[in-house]
Amino acid sequence: MAPKLPPQQPLQTPAEQGNDGAATAGHVNEGYHHGPSGLMRWLLTTNHKEIGTLYLIFSLSMFFIGGIFALVVRAELFQPGLQLVQPEFFNQMTTMHGLIMVFGAVMPGFVGLANWMIPLQVGAPDMALPRLNNFSFWLLPVAFTLLLSTLLMPGGGPNFGWTFYAPLSTTYAPPSTTFFILSLHIAGISSILGAINIIATILNMRAPGMRMMDMPLFVWTWLITAFLLIAVMPVLAGVITMMLMDINFGTSFFNAAGGGDPVMFQHIFWFFGHPEVYIMILPAFGIVSAIIPTFARKRLFGYASMVYATSSIAILSFLVWAHHMFAVGLPLVAELFFMYTTMLIAVPTGVKVFNWIATLFQGSISFETPMLFALAFVVLFTIGGFSGLMLAIAPADFQYHDTYFVVAHFHYVLVPGAVFAIMAAVYYWLPKWTGHYPNERLGRWHFWTSVIGVNLTFFPMHFSGLAGMPRRIPDYALQFADFNMASSIGALLFGTSQLLFVLMIIKCVRGGEKAPAKAWEGAEDLEWTVPSPAPLHTFDTPPQFHHREG
Amino acid sequence: MRNLAGVVAAIGGSVWLTRSALADGWNMPLGVTDVSRDIHGLHMTIFWICVVIGIVVFGVMFYSLFRYRRSKGAKSAHFHENTTVEVVWTAIPLLILVGMALPATATLKEMYDAEDADLDVMVTGQQWRWHYEYLGEDVSFISNMSTPRDQIDGAAAKGENYLLEVDQPLVLPVDRKVRFLLTSDDVVHSWWVPDLAVKQDAIPGFVNENWVRIEEPGTYRGQCTELCGRNHGFMPVVVEAVPPEEFDTWLAERKQAAAREASGVDREWGMDELMTRGQKVYESVCASCHQVDGSGNPPVFPALANNPALMEERDRHIATVINGVSGAPMPAFSSTLSPVEIAAVVTYERNAWGNETGDIVQPSEIQSQLE
Amino acid sequence: MWQVLKSVLAAFFGVQKDQQRKKDFEEGRPTAFIIVGLLMALVLVVGIFLLATTAAE
């Protein structure tokens, strides 16, 4: 599917798009851009805006594939008993849903936004390493084609959960696991290269006059996220390589019979996995910190403390991994250590929420769609934070662990958290990308159906978990039936309402109310100084940045 | 003022609604042990702390959204930092957390004190059942889910304890300290009974500890909570807590039965009784992977029917059941099955589903191999 | 040096006066802040560990 969005020109008619011949109008305008056209243009592009678009389209496609898997899971759980799928396939669906959403939808979504917006926000002409940028994107379709193809292999795809605990994922795994490992390796390389590129861009290519403490928070949060990525993706690569050795070369890293330790797998996985959780939420903090001041028409409260809080969260994220393992039989000292560090993380996270609310206080607030999503983020992410605080209490975690309460918790921080932030960002920056405002009516419909759907899906999971329903089961006892039926109905509503999102994007690309350079009245950052839609090449001459005083 | 009254009424109403909902079985069970009540107390404390913080934070937020609407002509102020406020809202959460950490630490220490138990029970997870052994009492048995397949497939009406019922529950005495030693024969499982507030992973090659002192007789149900493969959802835990005297009687009966079982090793067994016994063992232990008809689930679980290679090697067949297969899902059954059971199940596998080898494996032969 | 330590502690707590922050960014050397910051992170870890050990007894 060739993306129909050449960002360098306003789209006049679909007919003109069809003949994207050797010399389109856009290319003529850009005297020195002599790239290939058609499919090869997208395959070989080194332009940060085009690569950003590719990432976002990829992320959206994966969001739908992962969403369909989730709907299979929810359909089976609509009623007690096995109706639609057998447990083998059910386990593959839960596993693939998690893997695709984490590695295929949320992470590439944020990288796409980073590609588009970081150069624009720091006043750079492009990413620091454009060819590497192209390579890191095109690794992703390879990785995920490979991953999805395992579903068709004998023995089926990965069926051991997205956390793939050994030895279920080694000795007891289907033969396709080796392909799963290779695909994660490729996705991991893509992430590392992307992170290197982002760091190089932010540290070296800021506009003259822009100091670190002048950078927009989206840039700050991504800088910290990129360091986290570089720190932990090699850990993931290490653990899956150990799995590979255990499966194919007779080692016993995680096989107790050979002197290995299955718990060591969990330690290594979560040493990657917990910072990974913050990789999926820190850029969201940056997005919300851009949107709320814009629509409150008031400067972000506590900019410096936002930067400090982000750094604190990043550092603490390396010290809390074993709170995912309170029930594996850790020594008492370890339980206490990880309980205390986990509780500490609540402080910087709370500070962020307080800062957003203080920004709203005495503002001049309007409620365009990006703002609606950002506000829903603040409320619903905070609810996810509350359940996180409850989970931090180690004794209580023995009751919560591996139940639907945990499922409710991490979906609250990831769906109305990370995913809503990405959607808010899309609504916020679409005028810059396409030159048109998104359709406000469609946006509102999409927003309200999503909010209702998300809460109907995930709120009852708190109750089913507390009532005793374990996660990752294809069938359940009768007392959980009502909660599950509500969740399934909510999931269907949330899933189908995303079609409105796609419809809105298509309409916005094709036309709509024209947006000026500064599309939102209260917007302040550098991206709003270039025309809408942003031409293919921006900031060829670095802008002079004037930081705000007082 | 009318606004304020409305807000107070709304908050009061939702608190009342929340309380009644929580009382109605939507919440963590209070449980029947000291520890479970402590945990429930911590859970409710942190829950109400979150509710209060939520009311304050969201209250300020929605007030601001309502009061400072641009459509009502709100003009934005210019402040963007205030050191005092920031210090206050960093310090208060810190204090709340310290206040929460103190009781949590105390409860955790209590949970970790498994010393001086009156009874030790070894709990072993297997795909997909639990094996219980009363240590030092020579009593052990396997506990399988007893919900019929028809109920799962919707061919029969679902019973009251659908998916939460077993053929042999774990029987425990009330008012005695019982220590659990948990391990696994294959993948990681997790043994959970909400009413006892015991959830502990069962990890192959390692032994975990937990304990319970049940205060009320009754039947308490739970499930495996760590994804352990295909039948993860069909691996219930049922604990039956009985008064100590009743427990002692029960244990004595089980000991006698175990002694009878052990004496079975000394006599010669006939084909028919081995086949009958073997079928029971096979369907309880082997069929979850190798299927009731012996067709297996290749490539991971080989077929036992129509497997000429296996039928030629009687000794390897016996050794595989006793020792398991290193690097493959087949566990060693030497610790979970008695010599009689191993002999019966091997005999059954070598003569069922058209495997008409005519081989009889005697329990005494297994016994000598185990020694 | 004392000022560096004070600023790092302020950053750990997350609150600092704007004036002092500006002064740090204009006059301080980044290496000093990074080294003291890493040391303080280590102190934090050891501190929590000691706290946990004491509490466990």
Side-chain angles (χ1 to χ4, degrees):
Chain A
M1 158 180 150
K4 296 206 164 188
L5 171 56
Q8 77 275 27
Q9 54 174 0
L11 295 176
Q12 285 93 18
T13 60
E16 260 191 48
Q17 273 313 296
N19 324 326
D20 192 16
T24 63
H27 291 184
V28 171
N29 290 344
E30 303 294 335
Y32 52 91
H33 185 81
H34 295 297
S37 59
L39 188 63
M40 289 309 275
R41 169 185 165 195
W42 294 98
L43 211 54
L44 301 179
T45 180
T46 54
N47 182 286
H48 75 100
K49 300 186 183 77
E50 294 185 338
I51 294 175
T53 305
L54 287 173
Y55 264 111
L56 290 170
I57 290 171
F58 177 81
S59 160
L60 187 62
S61 331
M62 286 297 140
F63 181 56
F64 272 88
I65 293 177
I68 287 166
F69 293 166
L71 287 180
V72 172
V73 168
R74 283 308 336 163
E76 175 54 53
L77 293 174
F78 183 66
Q79 283 186 321
L82 294 177
Q83 288 90 19
L84 301 170
V85 296
Q86 288 303 306
E88 290 93 336
F89 191 68
F90 181 90
N91 288 346
Q92 292 173 41
M93 286 292 103
T94 53
T95 306
M96 282 297 219
H97 163 69
L99 291 170
I100 296 272
M101 286 303 194
V102 168
F103 295 102
V106 173
M107 289 171 71
F110 281 129
V111 179
L113 293 171
N115 255 290
W116 249 104
M117 300 321 297
I118 286 178
L120 285 179
Q121 289 199 320
V122 302
D126 203 311
M127 296 292 279
L129 311 157
R131 292 206 170 102
L132 193 73
N133 204 11
N134 172 293
F135 183 55
S136 25
F137 171 73
W138 284 108
L139 284 175
L140 282 181
V142 177
F144 284 88
T145 310
L146 193 61
L147 182 61
L148 287 169
S149 72
T150 58
L151 284 176
L152 307 172
M153 293 179 187
N159 56 11
F160 27 65
W162 87 274
T163 52
F164 48 96
Y165 280 7
L168 187 63
S169 62
T170 53
T171 315
Y172 297 80
S176 67
T177 307
T178 304
F179 289 90
F180 151 79
I181 291 172
L182 181 61
S183 74
L184 266 199
H185 265 310
I186 299 174
I189 293 170
S190 161
S191 290
I192 294 172
L193 298 181
I196 291 173
N197 213 340
I198 286 166
I199 293 175
T201 308
I202 296 173
L203 293 186
N204 297 310
M205 298 180 65
R206 295 194 307 279
M210 182 186 275
R211 300 165 309 187
M212 294 290 275
M213 289 306 267
D214 297 324
M215 300 192 309
L217 263 171
F218 180 64
V219 178
W220 253 119
T221 52
W222 242 117
L223 179 67
I224 292 166
T225 304
F227 277 109
L228 286 182
L229 273 170
I230 289 181
V232 301
M233 291 314 279
V235 178
L236 173 70
V239 78
I240 58 179
T241 305
M242 288 154 96
M243 280 171 62
L244 186 77
M245 305 286 279
D246 270 12
I247 294 171
N248 295 305
F249 303 110
T251 57
S252 296
F253 287 109
F254 308 127
N255 177 7
D261 183 352
V263 178
M264 181 174 71
F265 174 91
Q266 299 182 25
H267 280 294
I268 305 174
F269 178 84
W270 285 114
F271 191 80
F272 146 79
H274 200 82
E276 166 72 19
V277 170
Y278 289 99
I279 288 167
M280 293 191 283
I281 202 67
L282 293 183
F285 290 163
I287 291 165
V288 172
S289 304
I291 293 176
I292 286 184
T294 296
F295 296 96
R297 292 166 185 78
K298 183 157 158 280
R299 210 170 137 185
L300 182 69
F301 186 91
Y303 171 89
S305 72
M306 284 297 220
V307 174
Y308 292 148
T310 311
S311 321
S312 310
I313 292 174
I315 292 169
L316 286 173
S317 75
F318 286 101
L319 302 174
V320 297
W321 75 88
H323 69 213
H324 299 269
M325 304 163 54
F326 279 146
V328 300
L330 298 174
L332 178 58
V333 176
E335 297 260 335
L336 291 171
F337 178 88
F338 286 107
M339 174 167 80
Y340 297 155
T341 50
T342 305
M343 290 168 95
L344 264 187
I345 277 203
V347 177
T349 315
V351 165
K352 283 184 165 290
V353 174
F354 300 148
N355 281 335
W356 290 321
I357 290 172
T359 310
L360 291 171
F361 188 73
Q362 295 189 354
S364 169
I365 303 166
S366 58
F367 299 92
E368 288 83 349
T369 316
M371 183 64 159
L372 290 179
F373 273 99
L375 293 174
F377 171 95
V378 175
V379 174
L380 300 176
F381 174 80
T382 305
I383 291 178
F386 285 149
S387 53
L389 195 53
M390 296 171 77
L391 284 159
I393 312 293
D397 183 74
F398 277 85
Q399 292 282 49
Y400 306 137
H401 179 73
D402 263 342
T403 67
Y404 262 80
F405 190 79
V406 176
V407 179
H409 160 69
F410 69 75
H411 279 95
Y412 259 91
V413 291
L414 281 178
V415 185
V419 173
F420 270 26
I422 294 175
M423 287 172 178
V426 169
Y427 280 101
Y428 183 56
W429 282 314
L430 261 177
K432 185 52 61 190
W433 301 339
T434 66
H436 307 125
Y437 283 104
N439 184 318
E440 198 56 34
R441 214 179 128 85
L442 256 181
R444 271 162 206 274
W445 270 98
H446 173 225
F447 172 75
W448 286 109
T449 47
S450 294
V451 165
I452 294 168
V454 148
N455 285 294
L456 188 57
T457 311
F458 299 118
F459 209 78
M461 289 183 183
H462 291 112
F463 302 122
S464 48
L466 291 175
M469 179 166 164
R471 62 193 283 208
R472 294 168 167 166
I473 55 174
D475 192 6
Y476 48 83
L478 301 178
Q479 66 263 38
F480 311 128
D482 293 344
F483 302 129
N484 276 283
M485 189 173 281
S487 288
S488 291
I489 293 170
L492 188 67
L493 174 64
F494 180 69
T496 42
S497 66
Q498 299 323 307
L499 295 173
L500 294 176
F501 186 49
V502 178
L503 184 66
M504 178 284 297
I505 294 174
I506 292 172
K507 278 182 79 126
C508 186
V509 171
R510 291 176 159 239
E513 191 192 336
K514 289 255 185 304
K518 187 173 168 176
W520 309 108
E521 187 195 350
E524 295 285 353
D525 295 324
L526 272 182
E527 74 264 31
W528 306 107
T529 61
V530 304
S532 297
L536 195 57
H537 296 281
T538 41
F539 296 129
D540 289 334
T541 319
Q544 189 63 41
F545 181 83
H546 302 286
H547 54 87
R548 282 190 286 193
E549 286 300 339
Chain B
M1 203 53 219
R2 287 225 330 259
N3 275 347
L4 190 68
V7 169
V8 170
I11 292 173
S14 30
V15 167
W16 179 81
L17 266 178
T18 320
R19 285 194 70 106
S20 51
L22 293 181
D24 219 5
W26 291 27
N27 196 7
M28 180 190 288
L30 189 58
V32 289
T33 70
D34 251 351
V35 169
S36 79
R37 278 190 292 270
D38 286 353
I39 290 179
H40 185 270
L42 286 171
H43 161 69
M44 291 316 290
T45 313
I46 188 77
F47 171 73
W48 286 113
I49 289 176
C50 289
V51 169
V52 171
I53 298 175
I55 289 173
V56 173
V57 169
F58 296 146
V60 175
M61 179 175 174
F62 282 100
Y63 170 79
S64 306
L65 291 180
F66 185 78
R67 171 77 175 70
Y68 303 110
R69 279 172 294 172
R70 180 177 167 74
S71 58
K72 295 286 176 227
K75 293 270 179 292
S76 51
H78 291 286
F79 67 89
H80 58 85
E81 58 179 16
N82 182 328
T83 311
T84 321
V85 172
E86 290 178 57
V87 169
V88 168
W89 75 33
T90 311
I92 290 179
L94 263 176
L95 291 177
I96 293 176
L97 289 175
V98 172
M100 220 32 239
L102 292 171
T105 304
T107 305
L108 202 57
K109 285 169 76 171
E110 192 188 349
M111 293 168 74
Y112 264 71
D113 180 19
E115 302 289 304
D116 304 320
D118 304 313
L119 173 70
D120 284 345
V121 178
M122 185 91 186
V123 179
T124 309
Q126 295 173 347
Q127 285 180 325
W128 288 276
R129 67 188 80 84
W130 296 100
H131 177 261
Y132 300 114
E133 183 179 358
Y134 294 77
L135 292 180
E137 309 283 353
D138 286 330
V139 172
S140 72
F141 55 88
I142 280 169
S143 178
N144 268 305
M145 184 179 80
S146 60
T147 302
R149 185 76 211 180
D150 278 355
Q151 290 190 13
I152 296 171
D153 290 334
K158 294 178 176 37
E160 189 194 351
N161 295 315
Y162 177 68
L163 300 187
L164 297 179
E165 50 201 347
V166 296
D167 50 3
Q168 295 194 78
L170 175 66
V171 179
L172 294 178
V174 299
D175 296 330
R176 283 189 194 162
K177 187 167 185 175
V178 180
R179 178 166 58 172
F180 300 113
L181 300 165
L182 301 104
T183 189
S184 164
D185 282 343
D186 36 53
V187 300
V188 181
H189 302 273
S190 191
W191 194 85
W192 183 35
V193 182
D195 278 314
L196 309 187
V198 174
K199 181 186 282 149
Q200 196 71 56
D201 286 3
I203 296 163
F206 292 80
V207 177
N208 273 334
E209 250 185 10
N210 210 316
W211 67 273
V212 72
R213 188 193 292 275
I214 306 172
E215 290 173 4
E216 285 170 41
T219 307
Y220 306 108
R221 297 169 197 276
Q223 277 179 279
C224 175
T225 44
E226 183 66 64
L227 178 63
C228 56
R230 182 158 47 92
N231 288 343
H232 163 56
F234 306 101
M235 204 176 150
V237 176
V238 179
V239 171
E240 206 161 310
V242 297
E245 312 77 50
E246 202 177 313
F247 173 77
D248 291 336
T249 324
W250 175 87
L251 193 65
E253 279 169 17
R254 293 300 301 223
K255 264 175 149 165
Q256 281 179 357
R260 276 199 303 276
E261 173 84 10
S263 67
V265 173
D266 302 331
R267 70 177 174 91
E268 193 84 350
W269 286 60
M271 183 67 149
D272 284 350
E273 50 180 345
L274 280 174
M275 285 297 281
T276 317
R277 185 72 192 271
Q279 183 173 8
K280 262 172 79 181
V281 176
Y282 182 86
E283 280 166 11
S284 144
V285 178
C286 316
S288 53
C289 300
H290 294 288
Q291 308 303 322
V292 178
D293 59 2
S295 60
N297 203 351
V300 180
F301 304 110
L304 302 179
N306 300 317
N307 186 339
L310 185 68
M311 290 311 121
E312 277 166 27
E313 298 181 76
R314 183 173 180 274
D315 289 346
R316 185 171 71 98
H317 190 168
I318 295 171
T320 306
V321 176
I322 292 178
N323 301 322
V325 180
S326 168
M330 178 76 185
F333 282 101
S334 51
S335 58
T336 48
L337 295 181
S338 71
V340 173
E341 287 169 325
I342 294 177
V345 81
V346 175
T347 307
Y348 176 74
E349 286 168 2
R350 299 189 67 76
N351 294 285
W353 328 296
N355 289 347
E356 285 162 4
T357 56
D359 290 348
I360 292 185
V361 181
Q362 287 297 341
S364 51
E365 185 184 344
I366 304 292
Q367 179 70 25
S368 62
Q369 289 216 16
L370 287 173
E371 286 159 1
Chain C
M1 204 58 212
W2 175 235
Q3 186 49 51
V4 175
L5 190 66
K6 250 169 70 182
S7 293
V8 168
L9 284 176
F12 267 59
F13 191 71
V15 181
Q16 196 181 27
K17 284 225 160 60
D18 210 28
Q19 276 171 326
Q20 185 56 45
R21 183 172 60 76
K22 285 217 177 74
K23 231 177 99 191
D24 286 342
F25 272 84
E26 271 148 30
E27 294 165 15
R29 283 182 309 126
T31 8
F33 284 94
I34 292 169
I35 291 171
V36 175
L38 288 176
L39 280 177
M40 288 305 297
L42 201 66
V43 169
L44 179 76
V45 174
V46 173
I48 299 175
F49 177 76
L50 289 177
L51 181 69
T53 331
T54 327
E57 271 158 17

